Amino acid sequence: MIVARTRAEIRAAVTPDTATLVPTMGALHQGHLQLVRTAKNLSRPVVVSIFVNPKQFGPSEDFTLYPRTLDADIAALESEGVDVVYVPDVADVFPADHVPVALDLGPLDEVFEGAARPGHFAGVVDVVATLFTIVQPRFAVFGQKDLQQLAVVRRLVRQLFPDVTIHAEPIVREADGLALSSRNRYLTAEQRACAPTIHQTLQTIAPALLAARDAASTRAILQGATATINSSGELDTEYLALVDGDTFQQLDRVTPNAFIITVVRAGTTRLLDNLQPGDLQPGNPAP
Ligand code: AMP
């Protein structure tokens, strides 16, 4: 496995329009490694970037505290058979003369994660566009866990990188249903014990939402789910909504592209999760 620290080393190691890129911020877990396994079936070389992007963290967020486990990450990628890992410093991705890549995301940047984290998606657009320019991948793999980020990336690709194909990987979960996240390590024992309620609750309400015929019923189901998640006292739901997976506009009832999205706070840790109720329709067994 080649460990590239600069864009010049990437250029030397990777032929344009051949690679599958898996962008990450490191602190790798089985969710990331599942993305890597999928990448290997798309196109070689598989390039994994590990870069904690300062531009996507707000001033009051955990950029300096974000977990960094580079040696373990490199060992894990090596044993997965990754071809190239790109571990740049900030000046290699964003040199002094870097002109930020900007994209008008419209309402997508004004709701849910866009509203909760001003500037976050601008930072995501800039780093993904810059990584695409450096690696020039044929495919890129992203997780459905960060569903709104995926919608942003799809818009970026449609606008500026039409030759890159995006592959979305389903959420990888712990045995008890908690979505894997680099930030789960911050949970206290009490918070960790309650956290599976999030996925369980989304699964429970999915059939009810499928059966709901009007906005009032949908709203009542979502409010009930919020109360269930909050009932332990350890968890505090920031939002729980039924949205279209591309526009993130709220829906009155389930459509084929509808997702239940939620962010739940456990202390200062924000736990993201989502579920596509349409997945539960006949012929598509629950995950
Ligand atoms: P991050 O390192 O958190 O920026 O995540 C890098 C990529 O891994 C993103 O595309 C995430 O959506 C994806 N990812 C993170 N956690 C999971 C998970 N539990 N299941 C699937 N993909 C994930």
Side-chain angles (χ1 to χ4, degrees):
M1 184 173 78
I2 295 171
V3 179
R5 297 190 180 272
T6 64
R7 42 174 91 203
E9 288 169 17
I10 287 290
R11 292 255 157 83
V14 181
T15 307
D17 300 321
T18 61
T20 301
L21 175 64
V22 183
T24 81
M25 298 202 300
L28 302 181
H29 50 63
Q30 286 297 321
H32 298 112
L33 298 183
Q34 183 56 41
L35 269 52
V36 166
R37 289 172 200 135
T38 294
K40 284 163 64 180
N41 290 326
L42 291 172
S43 169
R44 304 299 282 247
V46 170
V47 180
V48 178
S49 60
I50 298 178
F51 179 62
V52 185
N53 171 27
K55 295 193 179 202
Q56 70 188 69
F57 288 78
S60 61
E61 294 182 358
D62 60 347
F63 173 66
T64 47
L65 293 176
Y66 195 82
R68 288 162 172 88
T69 59
L70 189 57
D71 291 346
D73 291 351
I74 288 176
L77 295 176
E78 177 112 57
S79 60
E80 290 293 336
V82 165
D83 303 298
V84 181
V85 55
Y86 177 42
V87 284
D89 60 21
V90 175
D92 192 63
V93 179
F94 300 126
D97 61 354
H98 174 79
V99 178
V101 180
L103 189 68
D104 183 356
L105 297 169
L108 189 54
D109 199 27
E110 291 159 12
V111 293
F112 303 109
E113 289 310 276
R117 306 182 68 186
H120 172 67
F121 287 133
V124 168
V125 164
D126 198 9
V127 77
V128 172
T130 304
L131 290 171
F132 282 2
T133 304
I134 294 170
V135 177
Q136 299 185 47
R138 170 80 190 81
F139 294 91
V141 185
F142 290 83
Q144 277 181 7
K145 173 163 172 294
D146 299 279
L147 192 71
Q148 199 170 351
Q149 169 177 281
L150 186 60
V152 166
V153 168
R154 286 201 159 116
R155 192 158 301 190
L156 169 70
V157 163
R158 206 158 52 232
Q159 197 76 21
L160 295 177
F161 298 93
D163 295 336
V164 179
T165 302
I166 300 299
H167 177 91
E169 191 67 17
I171 300 175
V172 178
R173 301 178 179 282
E174 301 281 5
D176 59 16
L178 175 64
L180 294 187
S181 165
S182 304
R183 291 186 172 101
N184 287 352
R185 69 192 71 199
Y186 298 138
L187 299 176
T188 64
E190 293 76 17
Q191 291 164 349
R192 177 65 189 80
C194 292
T197 313
I198 302 166
H199 178 58
Q200 285 160 13
T201 304
L202 299 195
Q203 279 192 310
T204 303
I205 65 168
L209 285 173
L210 274 169
R213 288 283 162 258
D214 55 46
S217 324
T218 297
R219 201 162 45 240
I221 294 163
L222 297 172
Q223 282 168 355
T226 301
T228 304
I229 291 171
N230 293 353
S231 61
S232 68
E234 295 288 341
L235 305 176
D236 183 20
T237 304
E238 199 175 296
Y239 59 76
L240 193 156
L242 184 72
V243 301
D244 177 85
D246 291 318
T247 66
F248 277 70
Q249 296 304 295
Q250 300 206 44
L251 299 171
D252 289 339
R253 47 179 298 187
V254 171
T255 64
N257 195 37
F259 286 80
I260 316 164
I261 59 165
T262 191
V263 164
V264 176
R265 280 182 187 273
T268 55
T269 307
R270 298 175 80 242
L271 302 172
L272 279 77
D273 209 340
N274 65 75
L275 191 89
Q276 188 169 17
D279 270 0
L280 301 180
Q281 273 162 345
N284 290 316

